[in-house]
Amino acid sequence: MPRQPAGISLRSVGKTYRGRGKTVEALKDMNLECAPGSFTALIGPSGCGKSTAMRVALGLEGFDSGEVLISGQTPGQATAGGVTGVAFQDAALLPWRSVAKNVALPLEVLGRDVSKFSAEIAQLIDLVGLKGYENALPGELSGGMRQRVSIARSLITSPEVLFMDEPFGALDQIRRRQMNVELQRIWSETKSTALLVTHGIDEAIFLADQVVVMHADPGRVVDIIDVPFARPRHPDLFSNPEFHALTDRIAKVLHGE
Amino acid sequence: MGNSLTSLRLKSVRNLVILIIVWEIVGRMDWIAGGALPGLSEILTRLWIDRGDYPGHIWATVYASGLGFLIGNVLAIAAGIAFVLSPTLLRLMRGVNIAIFALPPIAIAPILVLTLSGMAPRVTLAALGVYFVTMSATVIGLSQYDTRSADLVRAYGGGNWLILKLVRIRGAIPDILSGLRIAAPNAVLGAILAEFGGGGRWGLGTYLLGSLGRGDPARLWGIGLVATLIAGLSYAIFAVISSRISGSTRSVTLNTAIPSSHGENAYGRSIQALILCGTITLPFVLWWAFIKLTGVPDLIAKTPHGVFEYLFLNDTSAIARGKLLAALGQTLPIAALGMIAGLAFAFLLAISSRMFPGFIKGFMPVALVTQTMPLVALTPLLVLILGRGYSVTLWITISVTFFPAFVLLVQGIQRVPQSVLDLPRAYGASAWTEMRMVSIPAALPYLFAATRLTVPRALLGVMIAEWLATGTGLGNLLNRSRGYLDYGMIWTVAAVSVLLSVAIYYLVLIVERRTLVRLGMQNVE
């Protein structure tokens, strides 16, 4: 099936939370352009609005000003049309559903005939390395395995745009590295536009074509750094001096130096 | 682990055997109140002799409580879903819900017998007994869903209906099942109480009432055991089902976000006042509608206005008021005393449970079993042992408040994380200091919750004891009014006991909110 992966575009997006006596500018004049088929990492301290930006792009939250386009559509149209896929910080699996049925959940929400997708479901479970666990319940899996199920679930609709909010935040460092390598492999096979929200600089550099750094209060983009390393990237990259130089550079931007 | 479990089981079996032997000896020797407690073998022998009587009675009780259980729960679950979908509806119905929760079944049993016929009073009382428990379990279960899963459904364009269908209903099943588990013995109790007040030929309640005058303790104990067995079995069935299912339902990770309650302050002052008015008047409207729908003549069935007339406008009103106040004067002090004693006892035992974990482990199963005992079946047995004085009323009230309060308090204290308990220890605090700093404050919200929840039970306990044993107070007034066909008084006692129960409930709630706000704590639902 010929597909034209679409991009993500946030233009001068503003969003303000009004609390008791205090207003918080979660996003101020936020601009973000993700080219079709590119991988973007969104990084910043807690409360900088990076998760909010993603939730706005997904239509989970509204915004006060500006324009948001996902593959040329409004967030609501895009999500209801099955254009997007999403993986959250926590696997957020339904504990009473088997692995296969959890993977199929987005199809059910979109009102598609799940029985026609059994081949795709099996293929994705294989892709994330869980072949043989199709009928297992989430409670029987390790944290890393559950996170892989959520990655498989995010891909079941063959999304043109893939959103990930700290998908490996709950994993330990070693497992996180493994999942980074696997995510790169999976993403390169799907050719979708990916937006990854993360705390980890090394994870951002390893996976992304561009790293977008945000600061808090008000939530805004302070710098966009292109990552020059060729693909496919090998895990050795983590110990490459150029990799460390880039890490230091981003860290300085992140800490406002 | 496996070894200690086996040894625990062995110990339980050993304790049970010892208990039965002691019971047998005490019973055979007629040591307690001149033979009021027969030996187990005597009870079983009596059961065998009476075996021809039981099937008919058991069938009648099981049929009525089963049907009531079914109807009550279908309504309760439907209501729970409706309440979650519409918070306004929940607020409007709050008065009705609290009234159903607070009504002492014994007080409305005669009313149902007056207005309905055949099995209907028994089924209705059983259904009323299960409604509140299952309804609130459904609301809690549907409200405490995983917000992350809901986000996921929404991220694919799903709306509230899909979230309810895919995430919330399935997630609420363990809560609903534990509601059903607690509700099941209530249905049995409701059916037996209606049998008590309602005549008819069959039913364990009828059988018990008919056997009261025979002076045969072994038979009363037999009926009590059978009733307890039925209630206990119904509890056990749902306990097994829920333990099967909850294994696959427990969330695998901890969700830190609590679903926000929408619509609490979505309306202006005037609409809020309107809703409050509706909340208060709705129970009375339903009362009125119930009478009009059943078509029972005014002489027998009193509307809210009829009760007011009876109490304040008739020639005999002064006498009626006098009787009512005298009865209240007898019932309330002893109910309060019993409740305070039961709660204090439960509180002391629960906060010291950290010091004697072994004792609690052994005692919890006993406490849980007593929860399923139908109170009515128990009362005649206590009367046999304690006589017909005030002490029997007091003991019944203490026991009905103690056990639920104790279970609630222990569960509350067990929610305190181990690390919080360890902290004072790590600084060398004594057991008493630890208790003062951690266990007592931690148990306080649960003490309030227990007080609120046991008010209707305490009133029920006192009234049953008064009806069956002491011949005083509201329970006796109710019983005598039935004899005199004083319909106005029957309705008045029912209405007053419900209003009283609701009033005390709110009184505790107000004190609770004030105290907990001062201490910076959350109240427990």
Side-chain angles (χ1 to χ4, degrees):
Chain A
M1 182 165 57
R3 334 194 352 224
Q4 292 183 331
I8 306 167
S9 164
L10 275 71
R11 288 175 197 150
S12 328
V13 173
K15 180 174 176 60
T16 311
Y17 289 109
R18 281 176 189 83
R20 246 179 267 167
K22 194 187 172 216
T23 55
V24 179
E25 280 199 280
L27 295 175
K28 188 185 183 188
D29 193 25
M30 163 104 186
N31 285 293
L32 180 69
E33 293 291 331
C34 305
S38 71
F39 198 120
T40 304
L42 207 51
I43 195 167
S46 298
C48 72
K50 54 189 193 301
S51 288
T52 305
M54 201 193 88
R55 292 174 67 84
V56 163
L58 272 168
L60 288 176
E61 282 179 39
F63 49 97
D64 302 327
S65 58
E67 186 185 32
V68 177
L69 288 175
I70 308 300
S71 161
Q73 298 171 295
T74 66
Q77 289 167 338
T79 51
V83 172
T84 57
V86 62
F88 289 117
Q89 172 169 19
D90 209 283
L93 305 179
L94 294 178
W96 52 83
R97 284 180 165 234
S98 66
V99 165
K101 286 197 166 153
N102 263 297
V103 171
L105 185 77
L107 299 171
E108 276 182 58
V109 176
L110 291 165
R112 298 195 186 153
D113 185 358
V114 176
S115 60
K116 286 185 185 156
F117 285 82
S118 47
E120 279 90 341
I121 294 168
Q123 198 189 336
L124 276 173
I125 291 174
D126 189 19
L127 184 70
V128 297
L130 286 175
K131 200 179 173 73
Y133 288 94
E134 288 82 357
N135 294 317
L137 290 171
E140 298 158 4
L141 305 179
S142 70
M145 290 160 98
R146 289 201 287 269
Q147 214 47 259
R148 288 189 229 192
V149 177
S150 91
I151 299 288
R153 184 181 57 195
S154 70
L155 297 171
I156 187 62
T157 56
S158 309
E160 295 168 39
V161 183
L162 182 58
F163 292 95
M164 290 166 286
D165 187 0
E166 296 186 48
F168 312 126
L171 301 185
D172 63 68
Q173 185 66 22
I174 297 167
R175 203 159 288 277
R176 201 174 164 138
R177 285 268 159 93
Q178 289 171 352
M179 289 301 296
N180 288 161
V181 176
E182 283 194 51
L183 179 61
Q184 183 191 221
R185 174 176 63 80
I186 293 165
W187 168 74
S188 64
E189 288 179 30
T190 62
K191 295 277 176 263
S192 55
T193 312
L195 180 66
L196 171 76
V197 169
T198 179
H199 269 122
I201 300 177
D202 51 353
E203 179 172 272
I205 299 175
F206 182 77
L207 286 167
D209 299 313
Q210 59 169 350
V211 177
V212 177
V213 182
M214 292 184 72
H215 274 187
D217 207 12
R220 65 197 186 278
V221 175
V222 288
D223 203 356
I224 297 173
I225 295 138
D226 288 321
V227 182
F229 305 116
R231 288 187 192 275
R233 294 169 186 166
H234 191 266
D236 287 347
L237 188 63
F238 283 117
S239 41
N240 181 322
E242 288 177 56
F243 184 90
H244 286 294
L246 195 56
T247 308
D248 288 344
R249 203 183 125 200
I250 293 176
K252 277 184 183 149
V253 178
L254 205 53
H255 297 131
E257 288 169 27
Chain B
M1 201 55 207
N3 257 342
S4 70
L5 201 69
T6 328
S7 78
L8 194 71
R9 279 208 186 123
L10 275 176
K11 270 185 196 162
S12 308
V13 170
R14 187 199 62 193
N15 289 351
L16 193 69
V17 170
I18 291 174
L19 182 77
I20 288 174
I21 292 171
V22 171
W23 181 354
E24 187 64 31
I25 294 170
V26 168
R28 285 279 165 186
M29 294 296 166
D30 289 350
W31 279 343
I32 289 181
L37 178 68
L40 188 60
S41 62
E42 295 172 81
I43 296 170
L44 292 177
T45 313
R46 188 71 233 180
L47 259 175
W48 181 250
I49 296 168
D50 295 336
R51 68 188 182 279
D53 296 341
Y54 275 100
H57 295 305
I58 290 178
W59 169 243
T61 300
V62 168
Y63 173 80
S65 48
L67 194 60
F69 182 76
L70 194 73
I71 295 171
N73 283 322
V74 168
L75 288 176
I77 292 170
I81 293 174
F83 292 157
V84 166
L85 290 176
S86 163
T88 311
L89 188 66
L90 176 61
R91 293 171 84 196
L92 262 178
M93 290 291 286
R94 191 169 279 166
V96 176
N97 286 335
I98 297 282
I100 290 179
F101 160 74
L103 53 87
I106 191 169
I108 65 150
I111 284 180
L112 293 173
V113 172
L114 286 178
T115 45
L116 305 169
S117 57
M119 288 297 252
R122 305 176 179 192
V123 175
T124 311
L125 207 58
L128 281 173
V130 302
Y131 167 81
F132 187 84
V133 176
T134 306
M135 185 276 297
S136 43
T138 308
V139 170
I140 289 171
L142 287 173
S143 307
Q144 293 176 333
Y145 59 101
D146 195 329
T147 47
R148 302 164 306 181
S149 300
D151 267 353
L152 190 86
V153 173
R154 218 170 261 135
Y156 286 96
N160 284 339
W161 166 243
L162 270 175
I163 292 173
L164 191 71
K165 184 180 140 201
L166 291 172
V167 181
R168 297 173 73 174
I169 288 184
R170 183 57 181 77
I173 285 178
D175 293 283
I176 295 176
L177 276 175
S178 64
L180 295 182
R181 191 180 63 196
I182 299 166
N186 283 5
V188 179
L189 173 67
I192 293 180
L193 270 172
E195 289 162 9
F196 241 71
R201 168 131 172 60
W202 299 105
L204 286 175
T206 318
Y207 193 31
L208 192 67
L209 205 60
S211 309
L212 274 180
R214 287 175 45 115
D216 184 351
R219 171 179 281 182
L220 294 182
W221 279 93
I223 299 169
L225 280 184
V226 169
T228 306
L229 209 65
I230 294 171
L233 267 178
S234 64
Y235 179 94
I237 288 170
F238 286 98
V240 168
I241 296 175
S242 72
S243 77
R244 283 265 168 88
I245 286 192
S246 65
S248 66
T249 304
R250 224 171 288 137
S251 187
V252 276
T253 51
L254 208 66
N255 181 20
T256 46
I258 306 160
S260 55
S261 61
H262 297 287
E264 263 304 301
N265 296 310
Y267 304 110
R269 278 260 166 101
S270 53
I271 295 188
Q272 288 210 21
L274 211 67
I275 291 176
L276 187 66
C277 273
T279 308
I280 295 169
T281 48
L282 213 52
F284 295 98
V285 172
L286 285 183
W287 171 1
W288 183 83
F290 170 71
I291 286 172
K292 293 297 158 199
L293 283 177
T294 49
V296 181
D298 285 351
L299 180 72
I300 297 176
K302 301 285 179 200
T303 57
H305 178 250
V307 167
F308 184 78
E309 219 169 43
Y310 175 81
L311 267 186
F312 297 103
L313 305 176
N314 283 357
D315 301 337
T316 53
S317 289
I319 302 169
R321 279 205 305 275
K323 277 201 256 180
L324 183 67
L325 288 177
L328 280 174
Q330 286 172 323
T331 299
L332 287 183
I334 200 145
L337 199 66
M339 252 191 84
I340 290 168
L343 287 169
F345 191 29
F347 189 69
L348 287 178
L349 212 60
I351 55 169
S352 54
S353 66
R354 289 274 178 182
M355 291 192 218
F356 319 103
F359 168 72
I360 297 303
K361 224 177 253 168
F363 192 65
M364 271 308 252
V366 179
L368 285 171
V369 167
T370 59
Q371 294 274 59
T372 67
M373 278 191 183
L375 195 56
V376 254
L378 207 68
T379 307
L381 310 179
L382 285 172
V383 173
L384 285 176
I385 295 174
L386 298 165
R388 290 179 174 270
Y390 279 104
S391 67
V392 70
T393 318
L394 201 59
W395 273 109
I396 288 171
T397 320
I398 290 174
S399 65
V400 295
T401 40
F402 168 76
F403 288 112
F406 176 73
V407 172
L408 198 65
L409 283 163
V410 167
Q411 284 169 350
I413 292 177
Q414 277 172 351
R415 282 196 197 158
V416 179
Q418 190 59 44
S419 55
V420 175
L421 286 166
D422 286 342
L423 194 72
R425 280 268 163 84
Y427 288 97
S430 66
W432 163 243
T433 313
E434 183 204 295
M435 214 160 89
R436 185 172 53 83
M437 297 180 79
V438 182
S439 295
I440 293 178
L444 206 57
Y446 294 90
L447 181 65
F448 280 117
T451 312
R452 265 189 289 135
L453 296 178
T454 50
V455 169
R457 287 181 70 107
L459 220 50
L460 171 67
V462 173
M463 285 174 74
I464 289 179
E466 287 172 340
W467 179 319
L468 291 177
T470 61
T472 55
L474 276 184
N476 183 54
L477 185 60
L478 199 60
N479 193 22
R480 284 230 313 270
S481 308
R482 281 173 59 229
Y484 298 150
L485 304 180
D486 188 352
Y487 299 116
M489 188 52 94
I490 296 177
W491 287 87
T492 304
V493 172
V496 165
S497 56
V498 174
L499 283 176
L500 210 62
S501 201
V502 172
I504 301 173
Y505 178 93
Y506 274 104
L507 199 71
V508 178
L509 197 65
I510 290 168
V511 175
E512 172 182 359
R513 291 232 168 105
R514 293 240 166 119
T515 315
L516 294 185
V517 162
R518 207 160 46 83
L519 296 174
M521 286 176 167
Q522 284 263 310
N523 67 328
V524 209
E525 279 306 317

